[in-house]
């Protein structure tokens, strides 16, 4: 089945690290993504990880993938107030028409307090 | 590169009328486009996948006659909400599949807020 689960809310203080967690069910996922959405806006790709990788780091962002447990996490170091947004994880799966499509989690609202 | 322009960004229409949303790829050819719907504080739900020159593939539970998708060229896909009702009010987002892009795989439009009154 196709299901992606996230915790709904996370609150941190400015300067702390944020860790957003995600679980997925489809073991055939090839790529997993993290997107950021600010109010009333579209989606901004933050980072992605290929399914044969365990970790990927990009500046303040660290993605950890535990393929055995189908668990994905996004760590934001030195969280800033500008990081306040909704964060979506998504898995890329292959549809019946052999077209890759994204299945999204419910989104985690990150609140950063000054 | 790989920019998708979505218009309009918001629209208010009367119940019973139809609304067309456009999604254009500005600097690349989009063979495949996706249409998503997002309710407030909820996730993006895939409605359909459209391939240029062929009929769209709709997800289970999405009414084909209600949400008409046309992907007649490699740079334009449209979603028409026919006979709109208040329950169709939502945020609609398009996405294009790209093979060479800093967005690696997908690029998204900025979304259209539809309000049916």
């Amino acid at each position: 089945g196709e299901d992606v689960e996230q915790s709904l809310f996370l609150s941190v203080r400015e300067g702390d690290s944020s860790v957003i967690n995600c679980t997925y069910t489809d073991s055939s996922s090839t790529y997993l993504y993290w997107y950021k959405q600010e109010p009333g806006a579209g989606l901004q790709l933050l980072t992605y990880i290929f399914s044969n990788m365990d970790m990927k780091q990009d500046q303040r962002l660290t993605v950890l993938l535990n393929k055995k447990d189908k668990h994905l996490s996004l760590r934001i170091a030195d969280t800033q107030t500008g990081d306040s947004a909704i964060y979506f994880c998504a898995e890329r799966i292959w549809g019946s028409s052999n077209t890759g499509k994204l299945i999204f989690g419910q989104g985690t609202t990150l609140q950063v307090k000054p | 590169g790989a920019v998708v322009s979505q218009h309009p960004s918001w629209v208010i229409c009367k119940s019973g009328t139809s609304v067309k949303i456009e999604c254009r790829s500005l600097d690349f050819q989009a063979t495949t486009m996706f249409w998503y719907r997002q309710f407030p504080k909820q996730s993006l739900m895939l409605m359909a996948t459209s391939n240029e020159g062929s009929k769209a593939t709709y997800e289970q539970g999405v009414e084909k006659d209600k949400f008409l998708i046309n992907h007649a060229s490699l740079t334009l896909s449209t979603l028409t909400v026919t006979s709109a009702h208040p329950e169709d009010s939502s945020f609609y987002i398009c996405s294009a599949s790209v093979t060479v892009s800093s967005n690696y795989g997908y690029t998204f439009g900025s979304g259209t807020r539809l309000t049916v009154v």
Side-chain angles (χ1 to χ4, degrees), chain A residues 6-9 37-40 85-88 105-111, chain B residues 37-45 89-91 113:
Chain A
Q6 295 177 244
S7 51
L8 296 181
F9 186 78
Q37 185 182 37
E38 297 186 13
I86 301 176
Y87 291 80
F88 290 95
Q106 311 96 307
T108 299
T109 298
L110 175 62
Q111 179 189 68
Chain B
R37 181 176 183 176
Q38 185 181 31
F39 290 104
K41 299 187 186 301
Q42 293 191 26
S43 185
L44 282 76
M45 301 301 298
S89 298
S90 190
F91 192 58
R113 173 76 57 195

Side-chain angles (χ1 to χ4, degrees), chain B residues 94-105:
Chain B
C94 66
S95 171
S97 175
V98 293
T99 54
V100 180
S101 162
S102 60
N103 283 305
Y104 205 88

Side-chain angles (χ1 to χ4, degrees), chain B residues 2-22:
Chain B
V3 175
V4 167
S5 175
Q6 183 173 346
H7 292 281
S9 54
W10 60 271
V11 58
I12 300 174
C13 71
K14 290 185 177 180
S15 191
T17 61
S18 295
V19 173
K20 180 184 282 188
I21 302 170
E22 290 189 350

